[in-house]
Amino acid sequence: TRLCVDACARGWHEANGGNLSYRLDEDDLVALAPLLEPESQWHGLKRAVPELAGAHVLMSASGAYLSNVAYDPSHICGIIQLDACGESWRACWGFADDARPSSELETHLAAYATALRAGDGADRVVYHAHAPHVIALSTLIEPSPRAWTRTLWRTMTEGIVVFPQGIGALPWMVPGSPELAEATCELMAVHRACVWTQHGIMARAAGFDEAFGIIDTVEKSAGIHLGARAANGGAEPRHLVSDEQLRAICERYGLTPNEGFLD
């Protein structure tokens, strides 16, 4: 709830924009057991996620205004259960008045599967926001992980600390499409966040604070870069963090940066 309130105040979720999910663990299931009443109808997925067989996931609803989650959670979100093969889902709680999970459900599920395959099983949150500075910057620079990572790393010192493996970036794709889900997860096998050109950004993390923090850092860096370019007549700022300085930051904090993004 706090994440949604803070993010909406920052302008990340206009109308029904953005979505989020949380993969429940055993403790969650024990605590929520009295509330979970699985419906009988199963809904097939376009692409199976066997890594999530039997999993329960809290997901925001399609068309939901995240600004209302604190007032009406059973309409704004719900909990789904995946079947024993990871091929179908059914509702267990929420999604009142025949609401359904977000159209980005399959992208979220694929992101969890990617995290598990990458050895990041502790990642239980996937979060997508329409961060305005990220969207604005995506109209100016090419949609490549290297271009985005170097732009943000060299703009603000904190960038390489928060995302030392860099961030992914994709050209425009149809929201909610299988192509977007597949391309996103290919990049999120390496990166914790991925920019969707002219659309927003998605992140995966162990908890809501971390997921919010990753996107907040990317968004702040993007905003600073845009402001610096505007102050410099639209040209690239003259004084940016150097690769030598980036390496010094990593040495100081024991970080292993993505060498492909350093010259």
Side-chain angles (χ1 to χ4, degrees), residues 137 141-153 167 169 261:
L137 188 58
I141 63 176
E142 64 178 300
S144 78
R146 192 175 197 277
W148 268 88
T149 298
R150 286 189 60 77
T151 295
L152 301 184
W153 275 0
I167 63 171
F261 297 152

Side-chain angles (χ1 to χ4, degrees), residues 194-220:
C194 181
V195 170
W196 293 347
T197 296
Q198 290 100 43
H199 185 167
I201 182 171
M202 174 171 276
R204 65 174 173 90
F208 288 106
D209 283 344
E210 184 181 355
F212 182 94
I214 292 171
I215 291 181
D216 194 22
T217 305
V218 172
E219 169 70 353
K220 183 175 183 178

Side-chain angles (χ1 to χ4, degrees), residues 7-261:
C8 288
R10 294 166 186 257
W12 295 3
H13 299 293
E14 76 294 338
N16 62 337
N19 39 73
L20 60 88
S21 65
Y22 170 72
R23 183 166 59 87
L24 281 65
D25 61 17
E26 292 300 323
D27 290 340
D28 296 323
L29 291 175
V30 171
L32 294 173
L35 300 177
L36 300 181
E37 298 180 358
E39 65 177 30
S40 58
Q41 183 179 4
W42 289 94
H43 308 269
L45 296 169
K46 295 184 180 69
R47 178 167 298 182
V49 280
E51 297 88 348
L52 299 178
H56 289 73
V57 177
L58 172 72
M59 181 84 212
S60 56
S62 178
Y65 282 45
L66 294 184
S67 56
N68 292 331
V69 69
Y71 312 107
D72 196 3
S74 66
H75 280 85
I76 305 306
C77 58
I79 295 174
I80 64 168
Q81 176 189 20
L82 276 74
D83 67 13
C85 298
E87 297 177 347
S88 302
W89 64 269
R90 63 180 177 181
C92 294
W93 174 83
F95 300 124
D97 295 332
D98 299 321
R100 292 175 63 88
S102 166
S103 61
E104 300 288 0
L105 170 64
E106 300 213 18
T107 305
H108 283 243
L109 296 179
Y112 289 121
T114 296
L116 289 168
R117 290 194 297 270
D120 296 325
D123 281 3
R124 296 188 176 276
V125 173
V126 174
Y127 176 41
H128 166 51
H130 293 179
H133 291 127
V134 169
I135 296 172
L137 188 58
S138 77
T139 69
L140 297 176
I141 63 176
E142 64 178 300
S144 78
R146 192 175 197 277
W148 268 88
T149 298
R150 286 189 60 77
T151 295
L152 301 184
W153 275 0
R154 300 188 68 211
T155 295
M156 187 173 81
T157 300
E158 191 70 11
I160 199 168
V161 177
V162 175
F163 43 94
Q165 288 306 302
I167 63 171
L170 290 170
W172 186 90
M173 294 183 182
V174 175
S177 67
E179 293 78 16
L180 177 59
E182 181 176 355
T184 299
C185 290
E186 286 180 5
L187 290 176
M188 291 183 76
V190 177
H191 311 293
R192 290 292 178 88
C194 181
V195 170
W196 293 347
T197 296
Q198 290 100 43
H199 185 167
I201 182 171
M202 174 171 276
R204 65 174 173 90
F208 288 106
D209 283 344
E210 184 181 355
F212 182 94
I214 292 171
I215 291 181
D216 194 22
T217 305
V218 172
E219 169 70 353
K220 183 175 183 178
S221 298
I224 293 171
H225 186 81
L226 288 168
R229 284 180 67 158
N232 196 36
E236 181 177 280
R238 292 188 293 271
H239 304 289
L240 296 170
V241 181
S242 69
D243 283 65
E244 181 180 2
Q245 291 168 330
L246 290 171
R247 291 185 184 281
I249 294 167
C250 292
E251 182 177 355
R252 171 66 178 82
Y253 291 99
L255 303 171
T256 303
N258 189 324
E259 288 291 337
F261 297 152

